Amino acid sequence: MTNAASQSAQPSGIASQRCINPSCGASFSIGERVYTCTRCGGPLEIANPLPPVSEASALRARWRTRAASLDPRDRSGVWRFREVLPFDAAAPIVTLGEGNTPLYDAPRCAQYSGVLELRLKHQGCNPTGSFKDTGMTTAVTQALVLGARTVVCASTGNTSASLAAYSARAGVQCAILLPRGQITSSKLAQSMDYGAIVCEIEGNFDDCMRLIQEIADDPSIYLANSINPFRMEGQKTVAYELMEQCEWRVPDHVIVPGGNMGNSSALGKGFDELHRMGLIDRLPKLSVIQAEGSAPLAHLFASLELASAKDESSCLEALAPVEKPQTLATAIKIGTPVSWKKALRSVLRSHGCIIAVSEQEIADAKAMIGRDGIGCEPASATTVAGIRKLTAAGFIRREESVVAVLTGHLLKDPDYVSSYHRGTLSLESKSEDGTVALLPIRGAFRNAPIQVAASKNSILEQLRRKNPKTL
Ligand code: F0G
């Protein structure tokens, strides 16, 4: 390492894996291949010895300096923050130069959502087009540390594309479990191209998730879903990068989509660590937005609000799964999110909230994000739809600063976009007796191609008709 301060801000002590269940708190070494607490079954997280508050400004300066360095670890927006990651200097880092994603101003989305300032942190600009890469770099590195021969995951498409890419870089076998017919063709194509063994099963994502946890019992196999605490360590660095981009001024609200709840858990952990290290002076309110047809945690949150029971311990056993999740935002079509306890804890601690938005709201919000020149996949657009709803409800005030995290790139699901603009988008739902109903989505911001004769005059005429003021 090149800069002089580099040794002084190293944390003392060693990291461990700890059960988040307040009544358990069991601890495991970071060399153990465990995903859930072997004592109580609770979720695990990495307990990091963090640098002391007195080192806050030295750390900020060092991280900024690294951004200009050519060391492959510094080129990564994850490994640049390695003081807070549970790996030693000899770890065989697997990186594709993840992170370092843009934070965009989004004035049209701000106006649409009813706030003065809205910024979009575009995690879809990662190497495989989704936020998963920031977690896969650490998960696959840990797989190498543990000597795993095969890495596996269940997925709605992005986790698998990302794991396939990172395991290809690492030269380990990758096997992925997908619900047949429910993954967009772009995501499936990525996993095939990166050489993963792609297993499609009859069933939904939740069935895949149950099965993959059974498979991961085998000691040569390493599970990379978000119950894996090492993956969350990479994903938490988004909070670090975001705060650096905000010049360490904490936004009032950070809004994320919710599926399996890894992203919200990881961001929550990141903000919590930043706060404890004195790098930020308060927590942003972290809120999670789900799609109405796949919203188990939003339902639980609403019931807690009704019962005024918003403390952590009173709700940790209470999630009712959604048996047949529905949404065109296929990335978050999940009825039993594995990381819901961690996510709920982060939301409650930061005084955020969890709500659901409709298919129509998601589709229109997505088109509005497009009008700001920014392309995302449908799941990401729950955020802007959610901000609009939370502003109307008075939870977000007009003058408050808001950051939404976009999780996937537009090209992950171009069919959805095209159908929206052509006016053919609809959600198919099957009732118990097998009858199929179609819920059409009205494209409030439709922009279908027009058919024009191949002549200069007809083209100019069409342009005038579309917008007389511009010609
Ligand atoms: N947005 C996108 C684009 C996603 O792919 C996912 C999850 C989410 C949001 C939700 O994030 O699960 O951390 O709450 N995709 C997973 C997958 C489930 O398999 O690709 P989460």
Side-chain angles (χ1 to χ4, degrees):
M1 247 151 281
T2 49
N3 85 49
S6 61
Q7 297 312 314
S8 63
Q10 293 306 325
S12 55
I14 48 169
S16 61
Q17 308 186 70
R18 191 178 51 201
C19 175
I20 74 154
N21 216 334
S23 59
C24 175
S27 183
F28 307 87
S29 103
I30 53 167
E32 270 185 80
R33 196 188 57 96
V34 277
Y35 311 105
T36 50
C37 177
T38 52
R39 196 196 288 168
C40 77
L44 298 179
E45 70 180 1
I46 303 293
N48 285 310
L50 297 173
V53 171
S54 57
E55 299 288 353
S57 48
L59 273 173
R60 283 183 186 151
R62 186 183 320 156
W63 290 336
R64 185 161 289 224
T65 306
R66 281 183 187 157
S69 144
L70 294 178
D71 180 328
R73 295 171 304 167
D74 297 341
R75 301 309 303 151
S76 161
V78 172
W79 296 97
R80 195 153 66 83
F81 302 104
R82 51 191 171 272
E83 286 78 3
V84 294
L85 297 175
F87 294 90
D88 62 33
I93 291 173
V94 184
T95 176
L96 283 164
E98 53 289 320
N100 297 320
T101 57
L103 178 66
Y104 294 119
D105 280 336
R108 287 172 194 83
C109 287
Q111 195 180 20
Y112 178 72
S113 317
V115 290
L116 295 174
E117 187 197 335
L118 172 55
R119 284 169 293 171
L120 303 176
K121 173 74 175 152
H122 203 340
Q123 292 294 94
C125 296
N126 268 292
T128 76
S130 87
F131 72 103
K132 307 287 182 179
D133 296 343
T134 55
M136 282 315 165
T137 184
T138 45
V140 175
T141 297
Q142 180 65 4
L144 293 188
V145 169
L146 296 176
R149 285 198 294 276
T150 303
V151 289
V152 299
C153 72
S155 184
T156 57
N158 280 328
T159 300
S160 48
S162 181
L163 181 61
Y166 279 83
S167 39
R169 293 298 296 180
V172 293
Q173 174 168 270
C174 169
I176 60 180
L177 214 49
L178 306 175
R180 183 180 311 145
Q182 297 181 43
I183 307 296
T184 70
S185 55
S186 319
K187 296 177 188 177
L188 193 54
Q190 286 182 291
S191 296
M192 293 192 284
D193 212 39
Y194 301 137
I197 301 170
V198 180
C199 307
E200 298 183 303
I201 66 153
E202 207 50 66
N204 60 24
F205 169 82
D206 300 300
D207 300 320
C208 294
M209 196 62 228
R210 266 192 300 276
L211 260 171
I212 207 80
Q213 289 181 75
E214 285 175 33
I215 292 164
D217 268 352
D218 189 295
S220 68
I221 288 181
Y222 193 57
L223 178 62
N225 278 103
S226 53
I227 56 168
N228 179 324
F230 288 90
R231 198 182 117 196
M232 293 300 93
E233 288 301 291
Q235 280 183 214
K236 83 179 178 192
T237 61
V238 177
Y240 288 71
E241 187 178 289
L242 172 64
M243 287 319 309
E244 193 179 57
Q245 287 170 310
C246 293
E247 298 187 58
W248 306 100
R249 281 194 292 274
V250 182
D252 296 308
H253 296 269
V254 172
I255 316 287
V256 292
N260 221 10
M261 298 296 166
N263 195 23
S264 34
S265 307
L267 265 164
K269 185 170 194 276
F271 288 125
D272 182 59
E273 288 181 358
L274 288 165
H275 193 219
R276 284 195 284 133
M277 284 188 276
L279 284 157
I280 56 175
D281 56 4
R282 62 185 171 122
L283 296 176
K285 288 184 180 159
L286 179 66
S287 293
V288 182
I289 319 294
Q290 297 200 282
E292 254 173 27
S294 307
L297 205 51
H299 298 158
L300 173 60
F301 192 83
S303 69
L304 295 177
E305 285 208 302
L306 280 180
S308 306
K310 286 204 270 175
D311 73 285
E312 284 173 33
S313 50
S314 66
C315 53
L316 283 184
E317 300 304 328
L319 187 86
V322 171
E323 293 302 335
K324 291 202 170 104
Q326 298 280 356
T327 174
L328 290 169
T330 52
I332 51 171
K333 193 173 164 188
I334 296 173
T336 314
V338 291
S339 296
W340 71 270
K341 287 184 182 176
K342 287 187 198 168
L344 184 58
R345 185 184 62 167
S346 292
V347 169
L348 292 176
R349 282 186 185 169
S350 73
H351 306 289
C353 71
I354 308 173
I355 61 161
V357 289
S358 70
E359 294 297 310
Q360 184 69 55
E361 287 168 324
I362 296 171
D364 289 336
K366 215 202 82 56
M368 192 47 65
I369 295 168
R371 294 290 168 94
D372 266 319
I374 301 165
C376 68
E377 68 167 288
S380 307
T382 54
T383 53
V384 170
I387 294 164
R388 190 167 198 246
K389 216 165 163 174
L390 290 173
T391 308
F395 182 80
I396 297 178
R397 291 196 316 273
R398 186 174 163 70
E399 67 283 1
E400 287 185 307
S401 55
V402 186
V403 172
V405 179
L406 303 181
T407 44
H409 199 278
L410 179 144
L411 296 175
K412 289 281 190 174
D413 194 355
D415 291 346
Y416 176 103
V417 190
S418 178
S419 303
Y420 173 88
H421 288 293
R422 290 175 191 277
T424 56
L425 190 64
S426 61
L427 176 67
E428 195 180 288
S429 67
K430 241 188 214 155
S431 58
E432 289 298 316
D433 63 3
T435 43
V436 176
L438 282 186
L439 167 74
I441 310 295
R442 197 178 43 83
F445 306 109
R446 272 180 66 184
N447 183 28
I450 41 179
Q451 305 308 311
V452 195
S455 78
K456 178 181 170 186
N457 283 346
S458 343
I459 295 169
L460 289 177
E461 175 53 28
Q462 285 295 344
L463 296 187
R464 258 182 235 112
R465 235 187 260 170
K466 270 264 179 199
N467 197 345
K469 281 192 208 132
T470 53
L471 280 181

mmCIF file of all heavy atoms in Angstrom, residues 58-94:
data_model
loop_
_atom_site.group_PDB
_atom_site.id
_atom_site.type_symbol
_atom_site.label_atom_id
_atom_site.label_comp_id
_atom_site.label_asym_id
_atom_site.label_seq_id
_atom_site.Cartn_x
_atom_site.Cartn_y
_atom_site.Cartn_z
ATOM 1 N N ALA A 58 -8.881 10.205 8.402
ATOM 2 C CA ALA A 58 -7.786 9.506 7.701
ATOM 3 C C ALA A 58 -8.370 8.484 6.715
ATOM 4 O O ALA A 58 -7.877 8.332 5.599
ATOM 5 C CB ALA A 58 -6.890 8.817 8.710
ATOM 6 N N LEU A 59 -9.425 7.811 7.142
ATOM 7 C CA LEU A 59 -10.053 6.812 6.262
ATOM 8 C C LEU A 59 -10.654 7.464 5.024
ATOM 9 O O LEU A 59 -10.462 6.998 3.905
ATOM 10 C CB LEU A 59 -11.176 6.088 7.016
ATOM 11 C CG LEU A 59 -10.765 4.868 7.829
ATOM 12 C CD1 LEU A 59 -11.949 4.371 8.641
ATOM 13 C CD2 LEU A 59 -10.225 3.757 6.936
ATOM 14 N N ARG A 60 -11.377 8.548 5.254
ATOM 15 C CA ARG A 60 -11.976 9.261 4.108
ATOM 16 C C ARG A 60 -10.908 9.636 3.097
ATOM 17 O O ARG A 60 -11.054 9.437 1.897
ATOM 18 C CB ARG A 60 -12.651 10.545 4.564
ATOM 19 C CG ARG A 60 -13.983 10.326 5.218
ATOM 20 C CD ARG A 60 -14.542 11.692 5.538
ATOM 21 N NE ARG A 60 -15.758 11.578 6.306
ATOM 22 C CZ ARG A 60 -16.168 12.478 7.174
ATOM 23 N NH1 ARG A 60 -15.449 13.560 7.387
ATOM 24 N NH2 ARG A 60 -17.295 12.307 7.821
ATOM 25 N N ALA A 61 -9.805 10.186 3.612
ATOM 26 C CA ALA A 61 -8.727 10.641 2.723
ATOM 27 C C ALA A 61 -8.127 9.442 1.981
ATOM 28 O O ALA A 61 -7.854 9.502 0.785
ATOM 29 C CB ALA A 61 -7.665 11.360 3.540
ATOM 30 N N ARG A 62 -7.928 8.360 2.695
ATOM 31 C CA ARG A 62 -7.301 7.197 2.055
ATOM 32 C C ARG A 62 -8.197 6.612 0.962
ATOM 33 O O ARG A 62 -7.740 6.266 -0.125
ATOM 34 C CB ARG A 62 -7.013 6.131 3.096
ATOM 35 C CG ARG A 62 -6.228 4.993 2.471
ATOM 36 C CD ARG A 62 -5.952 3.858 3.406
ATOM 37 N NE ARG A 62 -5.615 4.295 4.731
ATOM 38 C CZ ARG A 62 -5.791 3.513 5.815
ATOM 39 N NH1 ARG A 62 -6.301 2.314 5.675
ATOM 40 N NH2 ARG A 62 -5.479 3.950 6.994
ATOM 41 N N TRP A 63 -9.480 6.499 1.247
ATOM 42 C CA TRP A 63 -10.398 5.926 0.251
ATOM 43 C C TRP A 63 -10.441 6.801 -1.003
ATOM 44 O O TRP A 63 -10.490 6.313 -2.113
ATOM 45 C CB TRP A 63 -11.793 5.756 0.853
ATOM 46 C CG TRP A 63 -11.841 4.663 1.893
ATOM 47 C CD1 TRP A 63 -10.994 3.593 1.985
ATOM 48 C CD2 TRP A 63 -12.769 4.530 2.985
ATOM 49 N NE1 TRP A 63 -11.333 2.813 3.070
ATOM 50 C CE2 TRP A 63 -12.417 3.354 3.700
ATOM 51 C CE3 TRP A 63 -13.851 5.282 3.435
ATOM 52 C CZ2 TRP A 63 -13.126 2.919 4.825
ATOM 53 C CZ3 TRP A 63 -14.562 4.846 4.553
ATOM 54 C CH2 TRP A 63 -14.201 3.682 5.245
ATOM 55 N N ARG A 64 -10.390 8.101 -0.779
ATOM 56 C CA ARG A 64 -10.417 9.017 -1.925
ATOM 57 C C ARG A 64 -9.129 8.862 -2.751
ATOM 58 O O ARG A 64 -9.159 8.814 -3.970
ATOM 59 C CB ARG A 64 -10.575 10.458 -1.435
ATOM 60 C CG ARG A 64 -10.731 11.443 -2.570
ATOM 61 C CD ARG A 64 -11.325 12.724 -2.096
ATOM 62 N NE ARG A 64 -12.737 12.561 -1.755
ATOM 63 C CZ ARG A 64 -13.670 13.412 -2.111
ATOM 64 N NH1 ARG A 64 -13.360 14.457 -2.825
ATOM 65 N NH2 ARG A 64 -14.923 13.228 -1.763
ATOM 66 N N THR A 65 -8.002 8.750 -2.072
ATOM 67 C CA THR A 65 -6.718 8.586 -2.775
ATOM 68 C C THR A 65 -6.730 7.310 -3.607
ATOM 69 O O THR A 65 -6.272 7.276 -4.746
ATOM 70 C CB THR A 65 -5.556 8.509 -1.742
ATOM 71 O OG1 THR A 65 -5.653 9.650 -0.911
ATOM 72 C CG2 THR A 65 -4.206 8.463 -2.423
ATOM 73 N N ARG A 66 -7.279 6.253 -3.009
ATOM 74 C CA ARG A 66 -7.296 4.972 -3.726
ATOM 75 C C ARG A 66 -8.084 5.046 -5.029
ATOM 76 O O ARG A 66 -7.801 4.308 -5.965
ATOM 77 C CB ARG A 66 -7.918 3.898 -2.837
ATOM 78 C CG ARG A 66 -6.959 3.375 -1.804
ATOM 79 C CD ARG A 66 -7.607 2.257 -1.011
ATOM 80 N NE ARG A 66 -6.775 1.842 0.092
ATOM 81 C CZ ARG A 66 -7.227 1.226 1.174
ATOM 82 N NH1 ARG A 66 -8.522 0.965 1.284
ATOM 83 N NH2 ARG A 66 -6.403 0.875 2.123
ATOM 84 N N ALA A 67 -9.075 5.921 -5.085
ATOM 85 C CA ALA A 67 -9.910 6.001 -6.286
ATOM 86 C C ALA A 67 -9.072 6.365 -7.512
ATOM 87 O O ALA A 67 -9.464 6.095 -8.644
ATOM 88 C CB ALA A 67 -11.032 7.003 -6.077
ATOM 89 N N ALA A 68 -7.890 6.977 -7.292
ATOM 90 C CA ALA A 68 -7.037 7.353 -8.424
ATOM 91 C C ALA A 68 -5.910 6.347 -8.658
ATOM 92 O O ALA A 68 -5.105 6.517 -9.557
ATOM 93 C CB ALA A 68 -6.450 8.734 -8.171
ATOM 94 N N SER A 69 -5.878 5.287 -7.855
ATOM 95 C CA SER A 69 -4.780 4.320 -7.971
ATOM 96 C C SER A 69 -5.102 3.256 -9.031
ATOM 97 O O SER A 69 -6.267 3.018 -9.349
ATOM 98 C CB SER A 69 -4.580 3.668 -6.595
ATOM 99 O OG SER A 69 -4.235 2.315 -6.705
ATOM 100 N N LEU A 70 -4.067 2.616 -9.561
ATOM 101 C CA LEU A 70 -4.290 1.585 -10.581
ATOM 102 C C LEU A 70 -4.211 0.167 -10.006
ATOM 103 O O LEU A 70 -4.377 -0.815 -10.734
ATOM 104 C CB LEU A 70 -3.278 1.741 -11.722
ATOM 105 C CG LEU A 70 -3.426 3.028 -12.538
ATOM 106 C CD1 LEU A 70 -2.345 3.113 -13.607
ATOM 107 C CD2 LEU A 70 -4.803 3.128 -13.176
ATOM 108 N N ASP A 71 -3.963 0.038 -8.724
ATOM 109 C CA ASP A 71 -3.981 -1.273 -8.073
ATOM 110 C C ASP A 71 -5.376 -1.891 -8.303
ATOM 111 O O ASP A 71 -6.388 -1.223 -8.069
ATOM 112 C CB ASP A 71 -3.722 -1.039 -6.573
ATOM 113 C CG ASP A 71 -3.712 -2.332 -5.761
ATOM 114 O OD1 ASP A 71 -4.447 -3.269 -6.122
ATOM 115 O OD2 ASP A 71 -2.980 -2.388 -4.755
ATOM 116 N N PRO A 72 -5.451 -3.147 -8.785
ATOM 117 C CA PRO A 72 -6.767 -3.747 -9.073
ATOM 118 C C PRO A 72 -7.725 -3.699 -7.872
ATOM 119 O O PRO A 72 -8.936 -3.559 -8.039
ATOM 120 C CB PRO A 72 -6.444 -5.195 -9.440
ATOM 121 C CG PRO A 72 -4.993 -5.204 -9.793
ATOM 122 C CD PRO A 72 -4.344 -4.038 -9.109
ATOM 123 N N ARG A 73 -7.175 -3.772 -6.660
ATOM 124 C CA ARG A 73 -8.055 -3.688 -5.482
ATOM 125 C C ARG A 73 -8.662 -2.296 -5.358
ATOM 126 O O ARG A 73 -9.794 -2.124 -4.937
ATOM 127 C CB ARG A 73 -7.274 -4.015 -4.205
ATOM 128 C CG ARG A 73 -6.778 -5.443 -4.131
ATOM 129 C CD ARG A 73 -5.856 -5.623 -2.959
ATOM 130 N NE ARG A 73 -4.726 -4.683 -3.003
ATOM 131 C CZ ARG A 73 -3.903 -4.441 -1.993
ATOM 132 N NH1 ARG A 73 -4.073 -5.053 -0.837
ATOM 133 N NH2 ARG A 73 -2.901 -3.584 -2.114
ATOM 134 N N ASP A 74 -7.887 -1.295 -5.751
ATOM 135 C CA ASP A 74 -8.379 0.081 -5.651
ATOM 136 C C ASP A 74 -9.323 0.434 -6.803
ATOM 137 O O ASP A 74 -10.163 1.326 -6.680
ATOM 138 C CB ASP A 74 -7.207 1.068 -5.639
ATOM 139 C CG ASP A 74 -6.323 0.870 -4.421
ATOM 140 O OD1 ASP A 74 -6.796 0.259 -3.447
ATOM 141 O OD2 ASP A 74 -5.161 1.323 -4.454
ATOM 142 N N ARG A 75 -9.165 -0.260 -7.932
ATOM 143 C CA ARG A 75 -10.066 -0.017 -9.065
ATOM 144 C C ARG A 75 -11.461 -0.557 -8.747
ATOM 145 O O ARG A 75 -12.440 -0.195 -9.378
ATOM 146 C CB ARG A 75 -9.581 -0.703 -10.353
ATOM 147 C CG ARG A 75 -8.215 -0.328 -10.861
ATOM 148 C CD ARG A 75 -7.952 1.153 -10.989
ATOM 149 N NE ARG A 75 -8.893 1.866 -11.850
ATOM 150 C CZ ARG A 75 -9.229 3.138 -11.699
ATOM 151 N NH1 ARG A 75 -8.728 3.853 -10.726
ATOM 152 N NH2 ARG A 75 -10.056 3.715 -12.529
ATOM 153 N N SER A 76 -11.558 -1.457 -7.793
ATOM 154 C CA SER A 76 -12.861 -2.019 -7.400
ATOM 155 C C SER A 76 -13.515 -1.098 -6.373
ATOM 156 O O SER A 76 -12.882 -0.722 -5.379
ATOM 157 C CB SER A 76 -12.658 -3.403 -6.773
ATOM 158 O OG SER A 76 -13.786 -3.757 -6.011
ATOM 159 N N GLY A 77 -14.780 -0.762 -6.606
ATOM 160 C CA GLY A 77 -15.519 0.060 -5.648
ATOM 161 C C GLY A 77 -15.880 -0.699 -4.386
ATOM 162 O O GLY A 77 -16.478 -0.139 -3.473
ATOM 163 N N VAL A 78 -15.539 -1.971 -4.333
ATOM 164 C CA VAL A 78 -15.765 -2.770 -3.122
ATOM 165 C C VAL A 78 -14.472 -2.877 -2.316
ATOM 166 O O VAL A 78 -14.415 -2.496 -1.146
ATOM 167 C CB VAL A 78 -16.285 -4.178 -3.496
ATOM 168 C CG1 VAL A 78 -16.332 -5.092 -2.272
ATOM 169 C CG2 VAL A 78 -17.662 -4.070 -4.140
ATOM 170 N N TRP A 79 -13.400 -3.345 -2.981
ATOM 171 C CA TRP A 79 -12.150 -3.618 -2.270
ATOM 172 C C TRP A 79 -11.415 -2.343 -1.871
ATOM 173 O O TRP A 79 -10.505 -2.356 -1.044
ATOM 174 C CB TRP A 79 -11.265 -4.546 -3.098
ATOM 175 C CG TRP A 79 -11.920 -5.887 -3.268
ATOM 176 C CD1 TRP A 79 -12.657 -6.303 -4.346
ATOM 177 C CD2 TRP A 79 -11.962 -6.958 -2.316
ATOM 178 N NE1 TRP A 79 -13.144 -7.572 -4.123
ATOM 179 C CE2 TRP A 79 -12.727 -8.002 -2.882
ATOM 180 C CE3 TRP A 79 -11.427 -7.150 -1.039
ATOM 181 C CZ2 TRP A 79 -12.969 -9.206 -2.233
ATOM 182 C CZ3 TRP A 79 -11.661 -8.347 -0.385
ATOM 183 C CH2 TRP A 79 -12.428 -9.356 -0.981
ATOM 184 N N ARG A 80 -11.825 -1.228 -2.451
ATOM 185 C CA ARG A 80 -11.270 0.063 -2.047
ATOM 186 C C ARG A 80 -11.549 0.327 -0.555
ATOM 187 O O ARG A 80 -10.828 1.061 0.100
ATOM 188 C CB ARG A 80 -11.954 1.141 -2.911
ATOM 189 C CG ARG A 80 -11.309 2.492 -2.910
ATOM 190 C CD ARG A 80 -11.606 3.223 -4.212
ATOM 191 N NE ARG A 80 -13.020 3.559 -4.403
ATOM 192 C CZ ARG A 80 -13.604 4.630 -3.876
ATOM 193 N NH1 ARG A 80 -12.936 5.443 -3.092
ATOM 194 N NH2 ARG A 80 -14.881 4.876 -4.127
ATOM 195 N N PHE A 81 -12.611 -0.301 -0.066
ATOM 196 C CA PHE A 81 -12.996 -0.093 1.350
ATOM 197 C C PHE A 81 -12.571 -1.298 2.204
ATOM 198 O O PHE A 81 -13.282 -1.729 3.100
ATOM 199 C CB PHE A 81 -14.518 0.117 1.431
ATOM 200 C CG PHE A 81 -14.996 1.291 0.611
ATOM 201 C CD1 PHE A 81 -15.643 1.098 -0.606
ATOM 202 C CD2 PHE A 81 -14.784 2.592 1.043
ATOM 203 C CE1 PHE A 81 -16.073 2.172 -1.374
ATOM 204 C CE2 PHE A 81 -15.205 3.679 0.282
ATOM 205 C CZ PHE A 81 -15.851 3.471 -0.925
ATOM 206 N N ARG A 82 -11.407 -1.889 1.876
ATOM 207 C CA ARG A 82 -11.065 -3.186 2.455
ATOM 208 C C ARG A 82 -10.841 -3.185 3.959
ATOM 209 O O ARG A 82 -10.861 -4.248 4.570
ATOM 210 C CB ARG A 82 -9.862 -3.805 1.743
ATOM 211 C CG ARG A 82 -8.638 -2.926 1.586
ATOM 212 C CD ARG A 82 -7.643 -3.598 0.632
ATOM 213 N NE ARG A 82 -6.551 -2.723 0.269
ATOM 214 C CZ ARG A 82 -6.600 -1.869 -0.772
ATOM 215 N NH1 ARG A 82 -7.679 -1.800 -1.519
ATOM 216 N NH2 ARG A 82 -5.563 -1.100 -1.046
ATOM 217 N N GLU A 83 -10.647 -2.017 4.582
ATOM 218 C CA GLU A 83 -10.505 -1.988 6.051
ATOM 219 C C GLU A 83 -11.748 -2.564 6.738
ATOM 220 O O GLU A 83 -11.671 -3.021 7.871
ATOM 221 C CB GLU A 83 -10.325 -0.551 6.558
ATOM 222 C CG GLU A 83 -8.983 0.056 6.293
ATOM 223 C CD GLU A 83 -8.833 0.535 4.857
ATOM 224 O OE1 GLU A 83 -9.801 0.434 4.079
ATOM 225 O OE2 GLU A 83 -7.741 0.995 4.511
ATOM 226 N N VAL A 84 -12.905 -2.506 6.064
ATOM 227 C CA VAL A 84 -14.139 -2.949 6.729
ATOM 228 C C VAL A 84 -14.609 -4.289 6.172
ATOM 229 O O VAL A 84 -15.754 -4.694 6.380
ATOM 230 C CB VAL A 84 -15.261 -1.881 6.610
ATOM 231 C CG1 VAL A 84 -14.871 -0.630 7.374
ATOM 232 C CG2 VAL A 84 -15.576 -1.558 5.150
ATOM 233 N N LEU A 85 -13.736 -4.990 5.453
ATOM 234 C CA LEU A 85 -14.101 -6.299 4.906
ATOM 235 C C LEU A 85 -13.359 -7.411 5.671
ATOM 236 O O LEU A 85 -12.204 -7.222 6.063
ATOM 237 C CB LEU A 85 -13.753 -6.371 3.415
ATOM 238 C CG LEU A 85 -14.511 -5.388 2.511
ATOM 239 C CD1 LEU A 85 -13.996 -5.479 1.071
ATOM 240 C CD2 LEU A 85 -16.013 -5.636 2.554
ATOM 241 N N PRO A 86 -14.004 -8.570 5.849
ATOM 242 C CA PRO A 86 -13.412 -9.615 6.694
ATOM 243 C C PRO A 86 -12.420 -10.515 5.940
ATOM 244 O O PRO A 86 -12.594 -11.741 5.889
ATOM 245 C CB PRO A 86 -14.640 -10.413 7.141
ATOM 246 C CG PRO A 86 -15.585 -10.288 5.988
ATOM 247 C CD PRO A 86 -15.356 -8.925 5.403
ATOM 248 N N PHE A 87 -11.441 -9.905 5.287
ATOM 249 C CA PHE A 87 -10.446 -10.679 4.528
ATOM 250 C C PHE A 87 -9.071 -10.151 4.888
ATOM 251 O O PHE A 87 -8.907 -8.945 5.130
ATOM 252 C CB PHE A 87 -10.667 -10.498 3.020
ATOM 253 C CG PHE A 87 -11.964 -11.092 2.529
ATOM 254 C CD1 PHE A 87 -13.126 -10.335 2.507
ATOM 255 C CD2 PHE A 87 -12.017 -12.416 2.098
ATOM 256 C CE1 PHE A 87 -14.332 -10.868 2.074
ATOM 257 C CE2 PHE A 87 -13.219 -12.965 1.654
ATOM 258 C CZ PHE A 87 -14.372 -12.196 1.638
ATOM 259 N N ASP A 88 -8.066 -11.058 4.884
ATOM 260 C CA ASP A 88 -6.716 -10.549 5.136
ATOM 261 C C ASP A 88 -6.019 -10.232 3.820
ATOM 262 O O ASP A 88 -6.548 -10.504 2.737
ATOM 263 C CB ASP A 88 -5.903 -11.511 6.031
ATOM 264 C CG ASP A 88 -5.703 -12.860 5.367
ATOM 265 O OD1 ASP A 88 -5.587 -12.912 4.126
ATOM 266 O OD2 ASP A 88 -5.684 -13.871 6.094
ATOM 267 N N ALA A 89 -4.827 -9.657 3.934
ATOM 268 C CA ALA A 89 -4.125 -9.144 2.753
ATOM 269 C C ALA A 89 -3.803 -10.247 1.743
ATOM 270 O O ALA A 89 -3.597 -9.975 0.558
ATOM 271 C CB ALA A 89 -2.854 -8.433 3.188
ATOM 272 N N ALA A 90 -3.780 -11.513 2.196
ATOM 273 C CA ALA A 90 -3.411 -12.606 1.289
ATOM 274 C C ALA A 90 -4.622 -13.199 0.550
ATOM 275 O O ALA A 90 -4.463 -14.121 -0.252
ATOM 276 C CB ALA A 90 -2.721 -13.701 2.096
ATOM 277 N N ALA A 91 -5.812 -12.674 0.795
ATOM 278 C CA ALA A 91 -7.026 -13.259 0.181
ATOM 279 C C ALA A 91 -6.937 -13.208 -1.353
ATOM 280 O O ALA A 91 -6.499 -12.197 -1.916
ATOM 281 C CB ALA A 91 -8.257 -12.503 0.665
ATOM 282 N N PRO A 92 -7.328 -14.310 -2.029
ATOM 283 C CA PRO A 92 -7.242 -14.359 -3.500
ATOM 284 C C PRO A 92 -8.422 -13.623 -4.136
ATOM 285 O O PRO A 92 -9.386 -14.226 -4.597
ATOM 286 C CB PRO A 92 -7.322 -15.861 -3.785
ATOM 287 C CG PRO A 92 -8.119 -16.421 -2.631
ATOM 288 C CD PRO A 92 -7.880 -15.552 -1.444
ATOM 289 N N ILE A 93 -8.322 -12.308 -4.192
ATOM 290 C CA ILE A 93 -9.466 -11.472 -4.591
ATOM 291 C C ILE A 93 -9.923 -11.750 -6.026
ATOM 292 O O ILE A 93 -9.122 -11.754 -6.954
ATOM 293 C CB ILE A 93 -9.088 -9.980 -4.428
ATOM 294 C CG1 ILE A 93 -8.963 -9.654 -2.947
ATOM 295 C CG2 ILE A 93 -10.105 -9.082 -5.103
ATOM 296 C CD1 ILE A 93 -8.431 -8.258 -2.673
ATOM 297 N N VAL A 94 -11.222 -11.988 -6.180
ATOM 298 C CA VAL A 94 -11.813 -12.183 -7.512
ATOM 299 C C VAL A 94 -12.604 -10.915 -7.840
ATOM 300 O O VAL A 94 -13.625 -10.634 -7.202
ATOM 301 C CB VAL A 94 -12.778 -13.396 -7.504
ATOM 302 C CG1 VAL A 94 -13.308 -13.647 -8.917
ATOM 303 C CG2 VAL A 94 -12.096 -14.638 -6.949
#
